[in-house]
Structures are given as C-alpha cells and as structure tokens.
Amino acid sequence: MIEVVGVTKRYAQRSGQHRDALLGVSLRVARGEHVAVLGKSGSGKSTLLNLVAALDRPTSGSVRIAGVELERLNENELARWRGRTVGVVFQFFQLLPTLTVIENLLLAMEFGDCIPVDKRRTRASELLAQVELGHAVDRLPSMLSGGEQQRAAIARALANDPAILVADEPTGNLDSETGAAIGRLFRRLATAGTTLLIVTHDPSIADGAGRVLELKDGAVTADRMAVRNAS
C-alpha cells in the first residue's frame, strides 16, 4: 500500500543553510497494516507523515501509494488523489469553527467527490455514531470537549472511505481515558482493512499497533512488531 524509497527531505533556512528532516528513508507498509511512528521532536516523524499524505513533496526519492507514484502528479491531481485516498487527522483537530460537526464531514465529502450526494448525510451520521458523537451532529466544534473534537476529526478523515489514515499525535491533547478510546477505534479500523500510520508519543497507542517504526535524526533506527496491549 505504502512504498517509500530513498526519500530525503531538505528545508532551506534563512541563514542560507539547510536542515535535513529525512535522510534516505525507505519503508513498505502493507494494506491493512497498523503502524505507529515514534521518535523525539525533530526526528522526522511529521515530515514522513506529510509525504505519505501528499501534503509535501520529497527533495529526492519516491513515494508510491497503492501503485500511484506521487511525484508524477501535479498539484491539482495530488489534491484530488489525496481527497479520495488518504484521511488526515491533525493534532489540533482543524475543524472549521463556523460549520457544525456533520457539516464538516459533508464538506470533506464534497471536496473528495467520491461518495454519491444522496448518501453523504447518511454516511456522515453513521461515522459520527461510530465515534460516539451521534448526539453532537448539529453542534459547532466550540461546543465539544477536546476528546469529542478529536473524534469528530477522525470521523471527518474517514468521510471519503480512504484506504489510508494518517494521524499526527492524535491523543496528544487528550486525557488518558479518551486516548484509550481513540486507540481502540484505531484498532477496529485496522481490523476492518484500513491502513494506519500514526505518529505518537503515547505508549498505549504504540502498543496497540501491529508494528512500530522508530526515527532518529531523519533516519529509521528500528522497525519491529509492537507489543500488543488488549486494553
């Protein structure tokens, strides 16, 4: 499903110098795999996630998702591909504040344009029920707790039935009980066949994955099976 080959990512700095966020990273993730990505701040975790989600482009190397070579797509093609293939969960939710919870999902479906119009509201309602937000479909994000907003963001990421879900510190702002619920949701998604790539500092999220990648200074330093935590 995900194939990253010899990827480097270099950022220019104001001083005229540069910073290498990734250094020749290569990895493969199979369809339906549940992978946690660990590492200290600055290790390249979020950069890797952004490249897989086509939110950024590598300086060198290639990223292939489900057989599609992302570097061959122009910006418009990338946007369409992303909307139909990858769901992204951001650490700080990024729900549109003037739209209700269900409207946030419906807008994502409109951008993706892969769910029939007459089925969108039903699907949005089902997704919100799946993340235990059936009671909040018509509320604005400001009316929700942090945990509820994160669950709404996950439902929005799943709106177009993406093959891949990527998440950047999805439990970083949540209490332990809500974080554990998010972890259980991720495991259910993986069991149902969604490919998950989750950047996290949360040991329970990492232990709940099937595989753990560790990054340090832009390179993969470990790739191992996770210790399963049934909680």
Side-chain angles (χ1 to χ4, degrees):
M1 174 59 71
I2 300 172
E3 185 176 8
V4 176
V5 180
V7 161
T8 64
K9 181 61 183 180
R10 173 172 291 182
Y11 293 102
Q13 298 182 314
R14 290 184 179 180
S15 63
Q17 301 296 313
H18 63 266
R19 179 177 66 85
D20 291 316
L22 293 177
L23 296 169
V25 169
S26 295
L27 64 95
R28 294 188 180 199
V29 178
R31 187 182 302 274
E33 228 179 331
H34 182 181
V35 182
V37 184
L38 310 182
K40 295 181 179 179
S41 178
S43 63
K45 307 183 304 299
S46 295
T47 300
L48 176 62
L49 219 64
N50 288 341
L51 295 178
V52 170
L55 297 171
D56 202 354
R57 292 181 182 268
T59 303
S60 63
S62 66
V63 179
R64 183 192 297 263
I65 309 293
V68 176
E69 296 182 25
L70 300 189
E71 60 269 25
R72 295 181 178 272
L73 303 182
N74 62 37
E75 292 302 322
N76 288 335
E77 291 169 336
L78 270 180
R80 288 194 297 271
W81 173 88
R82 187 189 309 114
R84 298 179 176 210
T85 310
V86 181
V88 182
V89 181
F90 300 98
Q91 182 177 359
F92 296 103
F93 321 137
Q94 296 193 11
L95 298 166
L96 293 177
T98 59
L99 299 181
T100 65
V101 171
I102 197 167
E103 287 170 345
N104 269 273
L105 271 68
L106 293 173
L107 183 62
M109 292 181 194
E110 183 177 342
F111 286 151
D113 196 26
C114 54
I115 304 296
V117 175
D118 62 341
K119 298 183 183 301
R120 290 176 185 174
R121 183 165 289 273
T122 297
R123 175 169 175 77
S125 297
E126 290 173 346
L127 285 171
L128 290 169
Q130 183 180 350
V131 298
E132 300 179 0
L133 283 178
H135 64 285
V137 295
D138 293 319
R139 295 182 185 175
L140 294 173
S142 61
M143 301 170 67
L144 306 181
S145 68
E148 288 173 330
Q149 288 187 61
Q150 187 62 293
R151 296 203 300 274
I154 292 170
R156 181 187 58 185
L158 295 170
N160 291 310
D161 194 22
I164 299 170
L165 181 72
V166 301
D168 194 355
E169 296 289 0
T171 60
N173 297 302
L174 306 181
D175 60 72
S176 58
E177 182 178 350
T178 304
I182 295 297
R184 290 192 292 271
L185 173 60
F186 286 156
R187 291 196 288 276
R188 290 198 301 271
L189 291 171
T191 299
T194 303
T195 303
L196 280 77
L197 194 63
I198 313 295
V199 164
T200 186
H201 283 103
D202 187 335
S204 67
I205 296 294
D207 290 345
R211 176 181 170 193
V212 172
L213 294 175
E214 295 184 25
L215 270 67
K216 180 179 180 181
D217 298 330
V220 176
T221 58
D223 186 348
R224 56 182 172 80
M225 299 302 292
V227 177
R228 281 288 186 178
N229 182 343
S231 64

